[in-house]
């Protein structure tokens, strides 16, 4: 693409006026290069919550390269060509040399692994070459790290909460800046949008792999990954957010730079600023620092949706975790008009006055606790009910009761269904929550991060009014479209050894003995006898 | 000669995972099969500098030559947004090139570019409108007018382009040359093209294939997009079993992408654009990702010199081929999928396994055959006892990963649970080495007999060589035979324990139900507003100019590609 001439005065394309009748004070603008700006002034301390959001997440990762979005987020924290280097030209040359060694090392290791998988004898030449490359790699890495300067550019600016995260939908970078050093955030991130250095790639890779190992041990991440893979047949939320280790190990630095050039462009990003800031100052700073970055061709956009679901899915997992039953329904993306009805219903279902709690926890004593929620992202949503099982072995019963109660609610059962006053309470709570969220600069920034590329921030202006317009009838009608068995994934978590994962050995001996008693053929009898003996030995 | 419409690969899968017809089940679906009719030494292998593989088997006693080409690209190479593009590419590669099916390519180029612009702008506006409608908001009239104008313009330009296409030239050319069996098909990990020609017409194949690799023109794109959508409708959505197969497949696989349907997900299929297709084709259709396989009356030396003449100048791209997921992580629990259809109930146990490059592949393949024997343990246990109407095992996959599925159709009155239990027990016996020697021997001898027959026929031989090439090494077609001959019952047991552990199985149940699964609803239709009396073209052009800043990289690269093609075509003409 041709670089467009820098236009000093930015044209504010959309929505610079205060939105809506009530006016939450959220203002939006867009630079000529496509960078979105979302500003919410909040009175209080002289600080600004800063977020730079890129519209790219693990859902954009390609198969074979999962973990790319998240790994890239790590690399952005290691400085740019402008800061963090003692001599960028030299460092760059050395980094490229390191890449060449690393690529060959990776290819060699892969060949060694492939041989092992194919059952071939180890190839001594390959093993020698690998060791040699490892030494070269370490040497070169030392040279590279000798050229690194301090990357902690925010250190003396009074900034805090410097952090970043990657979700399926987006990658966000954050900092809390004192008003008088706010400009630094703009300078750093405008620089990083063009000049990320991709240094310490290989050490960072280990950190990324370690992060997933920890997540598996600590947060039962595999359970989460597997559940996602069941729910999201087509939607790439089935990608593991942290990537498959095999893939992460195979990502090349050059490929990551390509990914960065494709997605880290102004027309795929939004700046979110809340707190001690005005729209004028924000637009002034944004156009000064980001205005010169040219618009790029639009990155690939994801529109994949799950096809109409055709069956019910179950996952019976044994984990050292609280025994529970989870019932999930795949719903709609964040911008969809039906999200509100689903939000309302889940909110009410999960509350202490809702039927799940009353019946399962109080009356029937099947569950210790129960909660429900609905969350939507760019490409789809999930309605979730989770109950902690009171007594081992009663998962099935609890599961059945949850489904029965939900069905009864959807049928509009007089006793069980939500009433108009429940909807009013929901709308009031929503309004309170929204007011609280949008008056606290930190949570305001967070809220805006999640909605800017999904439902759009305009949604906040309508949501309370729309919630008030709901009726029990519309809520149930809308929800009934989604809360059907074909959209359901059920997860049972039981303690290890509880039998959720069957041990087929148990019945085998008995069956073999039975067959032995019927078998006439001497050869077959001998085989069967041998088997029974073998099985008994193993037991 | 009419080319048969590409066989929807899903049918194979349907047979494999949840067979409808019991009598067709006993045929194993696996790719690599040991050979007896031809020997490894009869294959002459050549590799061009650009990475193209050429495999030739000379059979002087026949008159025809089976000409096959295979590309390592299929459903498992696709990502969200481009699912089904391998299959769609296969369709479109019969639409010709700058030479084939072309009337006046120079005239076509600006129109192709313009059609891409119209379609890109239309898609962006339709997306915006759909977002608004889904959010419960109104679509501005202005937006609807633009959509109306762009739609009218899309129809107009499509008609204009249609007048520049000489249809069926592809077919006619081969028919005139005495060709037969012109066809192609796409599978999870490879796409294959084939035709059988009289020996003296071999050069025609080379010319066409090289043309396909460098000068393809994706004509009638948007018309053909509706054709594949319709294909999906017929073979998936309108069958009550169609969607369950897809869902079941997606439930089995987690990391590996074998679970992605070869036809594509409908939300992606409706949004294909020609620039996207072009980028996909350029990513995978390259000499170092392909093999040419010739079997029949052909001289290897001549085949090589022709290959050099026609393919030698096609460069090997500097970019590397996308990597495939190599392995699945172990599941933490047992998965179950329950679907409903209007046919007999079925029960299956499925595993995501290592692929053809793994040491367990040959033993698992052998096991699948053994379990498919009419005299084998699975039939004995379930069919001979009248518990099941039919049983079957399928094992297939790519170089990297595979799927092993055991399926049964219970007799009326027999519970799915009891069948499931029988299958689990049988598998456990296998893991413990409980395979009868006689079953093992007859599975092995059956393979040999089967293969001798298969490998005598040129087309079969060529096709199997392609499969083996796509599975990582064409030699495996012969070497796996040797390996199979040396296997023991314990080898099978070891592989079953390692690759088919009880706690990693996914249980698939298809229950009979009269209520059909509803088909995927069409994308929300956005009604365009045609503006009577004003200039549609003007509105459309203004809408394009406005939307252009949101066009993606594929779009801009496609423009450059067309220019390059035009330049090459002019250069060739001048010579």
């Amino acid at each position: 693409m041709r670089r467009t001439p820098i236009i000093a005065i930015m044209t504010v394309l959309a929505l610079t006026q205060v939105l809506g009748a009530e006016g939450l004070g959220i203002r939006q603008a867009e630079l000529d290069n496509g960078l979105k700006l979302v500003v919410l002034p909040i009175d209080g301390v002289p600080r600004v919550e800063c977020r730079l959001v890129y519209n790219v997440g693990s859902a954009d990762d390609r198969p074979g390269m999962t973990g790319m979005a998240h790994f890239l987020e790590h690399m952005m924290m290691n400085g740019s060509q402008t800061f963090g280097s003692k001599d960028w030209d030299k460092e760059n040359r050395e980094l490229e040399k390191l890449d060449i060694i690393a690529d060959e090392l990776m290819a060699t290791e892969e060949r060694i692994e492939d041989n092992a998988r194919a059952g071939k004898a180890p190839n001594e030449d390959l093993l020698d070459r690998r060791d040699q490359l490892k030494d070269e790699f370490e040497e070169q890495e030392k040279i590279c790290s000798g050229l690194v300067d301090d990357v902690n550019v925010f250190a003396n600016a009074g900034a805090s909460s410097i952090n970043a995260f990657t979700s399926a939908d987006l990658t966000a970078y954050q900092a809390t800046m004192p008003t008088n050093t706010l400009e630094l955030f703009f300078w750093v991130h405008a620089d990083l949008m063009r000049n990320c250095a991709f240094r310490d790639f290989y050490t960072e890779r280990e950190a990324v792999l370690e992060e997933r190992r920890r997540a598996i041990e600590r947060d039962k991440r595999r359970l989460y990954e597997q559940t996602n893979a069941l729910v999201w047949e087509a939607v790439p939320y089935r990608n593991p957010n942290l990537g498959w280790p095999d893939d992460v190990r195979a990502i090349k630095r050059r490929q990551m730079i390509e990914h960065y050039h494709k997605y880290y462009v102004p027309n795929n990003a939004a700046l979110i600023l809340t707190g001690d800031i005005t729209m004028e100052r924000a637009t002034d700073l944004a156009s000064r620092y980001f205005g010169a970055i040219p618009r790029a061709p639009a990155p690939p956009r994801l529109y994949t949706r799950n096809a109409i679901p055709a069956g019910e899915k179950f996952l019976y997992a044994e984990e050292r975790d609280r025994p529970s039953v989870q019932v999930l329904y795949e719903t709609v993306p964040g911008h969809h008009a039906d999200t509100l009805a689903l939000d309302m219903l889940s909110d009410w279902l999960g509350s202490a006055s809702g039927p799940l709690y009353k019946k399962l926890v109080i009356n029937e004593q099947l569950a210790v606790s129960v909660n429900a929620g609905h969350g939507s992202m760019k490409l789809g949503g999930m309605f979730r009910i989770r109950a902690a099982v009171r007594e081992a072995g009663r998962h099935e019963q609890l599961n059945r009761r949850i489904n029965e109660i939900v069905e009864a609610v959807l049928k509009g059962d007089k006793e069980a269904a939500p009433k108009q006053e429940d909807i009013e309470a929901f709308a009031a709570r929503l309004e309170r929550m929204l007011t609280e969220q949008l008056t606290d600069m930190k949570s305001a920034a967070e809220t805006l991060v999640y909605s800017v590329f999904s439902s759009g921030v305009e949604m906040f202006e309508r949501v309370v009014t729309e919630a008030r317009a709901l009726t029990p009838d519309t809520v149930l009608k809308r929800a009934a479209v989604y809360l059907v068995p074909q959209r359901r994934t059920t997860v049972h978590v039981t303690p290890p050894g509880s039998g959720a994962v069957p041990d087929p050995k148990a019945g085998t001996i008995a069956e073999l003995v039975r067959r032995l008693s019927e078998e006439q053929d001497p050869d077959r009898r001998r085989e069967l006898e041998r088997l029974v003996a073998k099985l008994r030995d193993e037991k | 000669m009419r080319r048969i419409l590409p066989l929807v690969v899903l049918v194979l899968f349907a047979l494999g995972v949840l067979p409808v017809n019991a009598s067709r089940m006993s045929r194993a679906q696996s790719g690599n099969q040991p050979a007896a009719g031809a020997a490894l030494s009869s294959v002459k292998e050549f590799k061009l500098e650009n990475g193209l593989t050429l495999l030739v088997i000379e059979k002087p006693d026949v008159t025809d030559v089976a000409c096959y080409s295979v590309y390592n690209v299929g459903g498992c190479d696709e990502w969200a947004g481009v699912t089904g593009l391998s299959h769609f590419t296969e369709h479109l590669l019969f639409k010709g090139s700058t030479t084939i099916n072309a009337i006046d390519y120079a005239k076509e180029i600006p129109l192709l570019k313009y059609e891409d612009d119209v379609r890109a702008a239309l898609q962006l506006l339709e997306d915006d409108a759909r977002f608004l409608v889904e959010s419960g908001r109104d679509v501005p009239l202005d937006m609807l007018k633009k959509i109306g104008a762009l739609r009218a313009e899309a129809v107009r330009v499509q008609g204009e382009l249609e007048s520049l296409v000489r249809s069926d030239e592809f077919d006619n050319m081969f028919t005139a040359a005495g060709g037969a069996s012109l066809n192609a098909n796409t599978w999870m990990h490879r796409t294959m093209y084939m035709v059988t020609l009289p020996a003296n017409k071999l050069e025609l194949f080379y010319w066409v294939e090289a043309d396909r690799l460098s000068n393809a023109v994706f004509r009638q794109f948007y018309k053909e997009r509706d054709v594949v959508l319709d294909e999906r409708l017929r073979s998936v959505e309108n069958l009550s079993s169609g969607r369950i197969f897809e869902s079941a497949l997606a439930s089995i696989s987690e990391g590996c992408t074998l679970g992605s349907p070869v036809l594509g997900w409908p939300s992606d299929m409706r949004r294909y654009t020609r620039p996207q297709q072009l980028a996909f084709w350029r990513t995978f259709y390259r000499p170092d990702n392909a093999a040419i396989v010739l079997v029949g009356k052909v001289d290897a030396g001549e085949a090589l010199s022709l290959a050099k003449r026609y393919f030698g100048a096609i460069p090997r791209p500097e970019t590397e081929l996308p990597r495939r997921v190599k392995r699945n992580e172990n599941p933490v629990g047992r998965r179950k999928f329950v679907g409903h259809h209007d046919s007999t109930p079925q029960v299956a146990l499925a595993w995501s396994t290592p692929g053809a490059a793994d040491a367990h592949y040959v033993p698992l393949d052998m096991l699948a055959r053994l379990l498919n024997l009419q005299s084998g343990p699975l039939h004995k246990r379930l069919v001979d006892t009248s518990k099941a109407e039919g049983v079957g095992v399928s094992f297939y996959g790519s170089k990297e990963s595979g799927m092993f599925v055991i399926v049964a159709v219970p007799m009326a009155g027999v519970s799915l649970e009891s069948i499931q239990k029988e299958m689990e027990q049988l598998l456990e016996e296998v893991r413990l080495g409980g395979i009868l020697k006689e079953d093992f021997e007859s599975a092995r001898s059956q393979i040999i007999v089967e293969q001798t027959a298969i490998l005598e026929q040129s087309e079969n031989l060529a096709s199997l060589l392609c499969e083996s090439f796509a599975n990582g090494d064409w030699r495996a077609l012969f070497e796996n035979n040797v390996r199979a001959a040396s296997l023991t019952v314990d080898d099978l047991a070891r592989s079953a324990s390692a690759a088919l552990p009880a706690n990693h199985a996914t249980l698939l149940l298809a229950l009979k139900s009269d209520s059909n699964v509803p088909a995927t609803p069409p994308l929300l239709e956005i009604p365009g507003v045609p503006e009577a009396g004003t200039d549609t073209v003007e509105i459309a052009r203004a809408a394009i100019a406005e939307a252009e800043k949101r066009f993606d990289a594929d779009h801009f690269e496609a423009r450059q590609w067309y220019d390059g093609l035009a330049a090459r075509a002019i250069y060739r003409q001048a010579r």
Side-chain angles (χ1 to χ4, degrees):
Chain A
M1 275 284 278
R2 295 259 349 130
R3 214 175 132 121
T4 40
I6 300 156
I7 298 164
I9 304 160
M10 185 208 63
T11 39
V12 175
L13 286 180
L15 294 159
T16 43
Q17 78 280 24
V18 174
L19 283 153
E22 292 156 296
L24 296 170
I26 305 165
R27 292 166 52 136
Q28 288 188 83
E30 195 175 302
L31 299 199
D32 272 354
N33 61 12
L35 180 73
K36 279 189 200 321
L37 214 53
V38 182
V39 175
L40 178 60
I42 297 171
D43 292 339
V45 286
R47 276 204 297 268
V48 184
E49 284 297 332
C50 307
R51 305 284 184 278
L52 180 63
V53 190
Y54 288 99
N55 192 7
V56 57
S58 55
D60 298 281
D61 290 342
R62 296 271 169 97
M65 284 208 274
T66 57
M68 176 70 95
H70 169 252
F71 189 1
L72 171 54
E73 171 223 309
H74 277 242
M75 295 312 296
M76 288 282 281
M77 309 300 268
N78 287 349
S80 79
Q81 301 167 17
T82 321
F83 65 89
S85 185
K86 285 178 180 153
D87 176 348
W88 172 246
D89 284 340
K90 190 160 181 227
E91 191 189 355
N92 191 26
R93 278 195 303 276
E94 298 300 337
L95 285 174
E96 277 170 8
K97 275 189 221 161
L98 183 65
D99 289 344
I100 292 168
I101 302 169
D103 286 357
E104 199 193 333
L105 178 58
M106 177 67 209
T108 312
E109 280 176 340
E110 209 156 27
R111 280 176 66 193
I112 292 169
E113 253 177 63
D114 286 351
N115 277 345
R117 264 156 52 101
K120 290 181 189 151
N123 177 330
E124 290 301 327
D125 291 345
L126 279 181
L127 295 175
D128 288 349
R129 183 69 189 140
R130 179 192 58 191
D131 295 344
Q132 193 186 346
L133 284 164
K134 267 189 176 163
D135 293 344
E136 280 176 37
F137 180 82
E138 269 169 38
E139 281 302 305
Q140 186 61 21
E141 216 176 23
K142 264 182 223 147
I143 297 175
C144 290
S145 50
L147 292 163
V148 178
D149 201 6
D150 186 12
V151 295
N152 192 1
V153 72
F154 285 114
N156 298 314
S160 58
S161 310
I162 293 148
N163 213 338
F165 74 88
T166 307
S167 77
D169 284 344
L170 53 90
T171 316
Y173 300 87
Q174 68 173 69
T176 309
M177 303 297 295
T179 309
N180 60 349
T181 57
L182 172 64
E183 210 163 332
L184 184 63
F185 183 85
F186 284 80
W187 181 82
V188 168
H189 280 285
D191 186 41
L192 280 171
M193 194 184 279
R194 275 175 300 185
N195 305 320
C196 180
F198 298 94
R199 62 170 62 90
D200 293 334
F201 182 86
Y202 303 97
T203 35
E204 205 64 49
R205 186 166 71 187
E206 293 312 310
V208 169
L209 289 168
E210 179 55 30
E211 190 177 337
R212 183 165 179 277
R213 275 195 290 273
R214 269 206 323 273
I216 287 171
E217 273 168 36
R218 207 185 44 209
D219 316 325
K220 318 286 172 251
R221 180 67 74 129
R222 283 292 295 132
L223 188 64
Y224 173 76
E225 287 176 350
Q226 234 180 315
T227 308
N228 278 338
L230 282 176
V231 174
W232 305 111
E233 278 179 33
V235 174
Y237 294 161
R238 64 186 289 121
N239 291 352
N241 184 252
L242 299 176
W244 300 116
D246 257 21
D247 291 359
V248 171
R249 246 179 256 123
I251 292 174
K252 291 181 177 158
R253 184 165 167 268
R254 190 169 28 74
Q255 291 171 322
M256 182 176 286
I257 294 172
E258 273 167 31
H259 188 86
Y260 161 80
H261 284 314
K262 187 158 34 160
Y263 289 100
Y264 279 50
V265 294
N267 43 324
N268 198 42
L271 254 174
I272 288 159
L273 303 159
T274 64
D276 186 18
I277 179 85
T278 62
M279 191 63 185
E280 291 65 37
R281 181 150 163 73
T283 47
D284 175 44
L285 286 172
S287 45
R288 192 172 331 144
Y289 287 96
F290 290 91
I293 305 173
R295 176 190 286 270
R301 292 164 305 149
L302 286 173
Y303 279 89
T304 307
R305 303 262 178 101
N306 272 4
I308 268 291
E312 205 176 340
K313 293 155 186 168
F314 300 86
L315 173 61
Y316 304 101
E318 293 186 349
E319 276 278 14
R320 269 173 235 291
D321 204 3
R322 177 176 279 263
S324 66
V325 172
Q326 256 196 90
V327 180
L328 309 161
Y329 294 92
E330 184 234 325
T331 65
V332 284
H335 66 270
H336 201 285
D338 290 345
T339 49
L340 208 52
L342 292 160
D343 286 349
M344 189 276 141
L345 189 67
S346 72
D347 197 66
W348 172 77
L349 265 180
S351 71
S353 56
L356 289 173
Y357 183 81
K358 272 196 243 164
K359 292 188 174 158
L360 299 177
V361 181
I362 308 283
N363 295 349
E364 297 166 29
Q365 305 261 314
L366 280 169
V368 182
S369 67
V370 59
N371 54 57
H374 178 249
S376 282
M377 298 195 289
K378 257 186 338 202
L379 305 172
M382 222 194 266
F383 190 104
R384 190 169 131 261
I385 298 166
R386 185 179 178 280
V389 186
R390 185 179 290 278
E391 232 176 282
R394 302 188 72 178
H395 283 73
E396 284 299 340
Q397 197 184 351
L398 176 58
N399 193 167
R400 202 178 53 243
R401 288 296 293 135
I402 293 172
N403 292 347
E404 282 168 2
I405 293 167
V406 172
E407 257 169 55
V409 168
L410 292 176
K411 273 194 195 128
D413 185 338
K414 279 273 178 301
E415 263 178 74
K419 299 176 181 57
Q420 193 59 42
E421 66 216 51
D422 295 317
I423 287 174
E424 276 155 29
F426 166 73
R429 202 157 50 245
L430 190 67
E431 187 172 27
R432 206 166 51 241
M433 221 170 65
L434 202 60
T435 317
E436 274 166 23
Q437 263 172 11
L438 296 183
T439 46
D440 173 73
M441 58 170 86
K442 237 191 175 81
S443 44
E446 230 92 288
T447 308
L448 294 171
V449 162
Y450 281 110
S451 51
V452 66
F453 288 116
S454 167
S455 52
V457 300
E458 305 85 27
M459 181 264 300
F460 296 117
E461 299 289 343
R462 306 190 310 266
V463 68
V464 176
T465 323
E466 284 176 6
R468 291 224 164 85
L470 290 172
T471 66
D473 193 46
T474 51
V475 166
L476 296 180
K477 257 205 197 109
R478 296 325 299 155
V481 174
Y482 308 103
L483 307 189
V484 291
Q486 305 96 278
R487 287 178 175 269
R488 188 157 65 201
T489 299
T490 304
V491 182
H492 290 189
V493 177
T494 52
S498 59
V501 180
D503 175 13
K505 275 199 189 78
T508 310
I509 296 179
E511 166 64 18
L512 285 178
V513 171
R514 189 190 62 74
R515 276 171 52 196
L516 190 58
S517 67
E518 290 170 3
E519 187 61 65
Q520 303 297 323
D521 185 285
D523 281 348
R524 282 174 184 273
R525 281 194 68 87
R526 260 199 302 283
E527 285 285 343
L528 284 169
E529 275 161 9
R530 186 178 64 82
L531 257 179
V532 172
K534 191 170 173 182
L535 265 174
R536 287 202 168 124
D537 275 358
E538 289 199 5
K539 274 220 148 175
Chain B
M1 172 182 56
R2 290 285 329 153
R3 173 177 163 254
I4 308 152
L5 268 182
L7 175 77
V8 177
V9 173
L10 254 137
V11 177
L12 257 184
F13 157 51
L15 274 177
V17 176
L18 297 163
V20 192
N21 180 339
S23 68
R24 291 164 75 179
M25 273 187 270
S26 50
R27 276 171 47 208
Q29 310 289 340
S30 47
N32 274 353
Q33 296 164 333
L40 192 144
S41 59
S42 64
V43 183
K44 300 208 164 69
E45 183 193 25
F46 307 98
K47 203 150 198 167
L48 300 197
E49 267 170 42
N50 59 15
L52 182 81
T53 301
L54 171 68
L55 302 175
V56 184
I57 296 182
E58 298 171 336
K59 286 176 133 189
D61 50 336
V62 297
T63 52
D64 289 344
V65 54
C67 307
Y68 279 61
S69 60
V70 58
Y71 296 86
N72 290 321
V73 60
C76 78
D77 293 297
E78 296 162 351
W79 52 90
V82 305
T83 60
L85 264 195
S86 309
H87 172 247
F88 194 40
T89 303
E90 176 221 307
H91 269 237
L92 287 175
L93 283 179
F94 285 88
K95 296 290 177 190
S97 65
T98 47
T99 322
I100 299 170
N101 282 10
I103 289 174
D104 184 349
Y105 185 61
K107 228 182 196 169
E108 233 180 330
I109 294 169
L111 282 174
L112 288 170
K113 280 187 187 170
Y114 182 59
E115 186 182 41
D116 286 349
D117 287 350
V118 172
R119 290 287 182 167
L122 180 59
Q123 182 151 299
L124 282 163
L125 281 165
E126 282 179 341
D127 287 343
D128 290 349
R130 202 170 291 117
F131 184 92
L132 289 172
V133 174
E134 284 184 343
S135 333
R137 284 180 282 175
D138 293 331
V139 183
L141 183 65
D142 177 51
M143 196 184 267
L144 293 178
K145 279 183 184 168
K146 284 179 195 160
I147 289 173
L150 285 164
R151 282 209 187 123
E153 203 46 7
V155 172
R156 192 187 63 77
V157 70
Q158 191 169 321
E160 212 173 313
L161 275 162
E162 202 67 33
S163 68
L164 291 168
V165 180
R166 199 196 308 273
S167 300
D168 290 338
E169 198 163 42
F170 219 108
D171 290 357
N172 298 339
M173 216 163 45
F174 278 119
T175 309
S181 318
L182 175 66
N183 216 335
N185 63 57
T186 307
W187 188 217
M188 291 173 168
H189 64 299
R190 56 109 190 111
T191 310
M192 216 194 276
Y193 300 85
M194 62 215 66
V195 65
T196 300
L197 289 169
N200 62 345
K201 292 295 194 299
L202 176 63
E203 193 162 351
L204 178 65
F205 167 76
Y206 272 103
W207 177 70
V208 167
E209 201 56 42
D211 203 34
R212 173 179 277 153
L213 199 51
S214 42
N215 303 319
V217 177
F218 298 116
R219 293 190 174 87
Q220 301 173 314
F221 186 93
Y222 298 96
K223 199 166 114 186
E224 202 64 24
R225 188 171 73 174
D226 294 339
V227 172
V228 284
L229 265 168
D230 187 58
E231 195 175 327
R232 188 187 152 90
L233 207 65
R234 277 185 290 114
S235 63
V236 183
E237 318 255 322
N238 289 353
L239 290 179
S240 78
S241 320
R243 278 284 301 128
I244 6 183
F245 299 143
E246 281 185 352
S247 254
L249 196 62
S251 308
I252 304 164
S253 68
E254 192 187 357
C256 86
T257 39
L258 290 187
S260 179
V262 175
L263 265 181
W265 293 112
S267 57
D268 289 346
M269 297 172 75
R270 291 193 181 95
R271 304 179 49 81
Y272 293 158
T273 70
R274 183 163 40 216
Q276 182 191 35
Q277 172 96 36
L278 190 65
F280 186 85
W281 171 71
R282 290 174 69 191
T283 304
F284 292 101
Y285 279 71
R286 41 193 270 175
D288 56 342
N289 198 36
I292 301 290
V293 177
L294 306 171
V295 179
K297 190 162 180 66
V298 54
D299 175 75
E302 195 201 334
L304 176 63
S305 68
L306 284 173
K308 282 182 183 158
R309 186 178 322 151
Y310 285 95
F311 290 93
I314 301 172
R316 181 206 297 253
E318 276 168 26
T319 53
E320 60 204 292
L321 278 157
R323 179 183 173 277
R324 282 182 186 160
V325 176
K326 277 209 166 172
R327 181 183 19 224
N328 275 308
E329 298 251 316
N330 286 340
V332 288
R334 180 159 189 161
R335 286 162 291 183
K336 182 166 93 177
F337 171 82
V338 184
H340 293 82
H341 65 170
D342 59 10
S343 182
T344 43
Q346 294 169 5
V347 51
L349 286 174
W351 287 264
S352 186
T353 69
D358 197 281
H360 291 305
Y361 183 77
V362 177
L364 289 176
D365 187 39
M366 178 93 161
L367 178 61
R369 287 158 178 287
L370 188 140
L371 293 177
N372 272 326
L373 288 177
Q374 299 286 345
S375 61
L378 185 62
H379 277 260
K380 268 208 195 94
R381 195 155 181 158
L382 291 172
V383 181
D384 296 355
T385 55
S386 298
K387 287 176 184 160
E389 257 177 58
V391 290
V393 174
S394 69
F395 176 49
Y396 51 70
S398 64
K399 180 184 172 192
E400 293 81 9
S401 44
M403 292 219 187
F404 194 100
V405 187
I406 308 178
V407 60
V409 182
M411 283 291 203
V414 179
S415 76
L416 293 173
E417 288 73 27
S418 66
I419 301 277
Q420 173 201 340
K421 204 166 228 164
E422 295 271 1
M423 295 199 300
E424 279 169 351
Q425 282 178 3
L426 173 64
L427 249 288
E428 188 56 22
E429 285 173 28
V430 170
R431 287 181 204 112
L432 292 165
I435 294 169
L436 295 178
K437 290 241 159 54
E438 58 178 271
D439 288 343
F440 184 76
E441 290 310 330
S442 55
R444 191 150 56 188
S445 58
Q446 193 213 36
I447 292 168
I448 307 291
V449 174
E450 210 176 82
Q451 286 316 115
T452 314
I454 288 175
L455 290 182
E456 264 165 18
Q457 220 253 336
S458 298
E459 277 89 356
N460 285 338
L461 191 49
S463 153
L464 288 174
L465 270 175
C466 287
E467 298 287 8
S468 277
F469 170 81
N471 271 348
D473 185 4
W474 63 267
R475 283 176 189 80
L477 177 60
F478 306 96
E479 284 169 357
N480 284 355
N481 189 17
V482 180
R483 171 119 169 75
S486 69
L487 286 180
T488 65
V489 167
D490 283 343
D491 290 325
L492 264 56
R494 254 195 304 278
S495 290
S497 304
L500 314 173
N503 54 355
H504 292 177
T506 304
L507 175 64
L508 309 173
L509 301 173
L511 308 178
K512 187 172 165 56
S513 155
D514 296 329
S515 61
N516 269 352
V517 175
T520 308
L523 268 193
L524 193 59
E525 273 308 319
I526 305 298
V529 175
E531 186 83 330
T534 51
D535 193 349
T536 317
V537 181
E538 280 310 304
I539 300 178
R541 280 175 201 249
I544 292 168
E546 205 181 343
E548 193 172 14
K549 64 179 181 185
R550 293 199 284 157
F551 288 175
D552 61 18
D554 289 346
H555 193 94
F556 296 109
E557 277 163 23
R559 283 187 187 172
Q560 285 177 3
W561 170 259
Y562 294 133
D563 292 343
L565 268 189
R568 285 218 301 279
I570 291 162
Y571 172 73
R572 268 206 310 273
Q573 262 166 19
R575 280 212 308 177

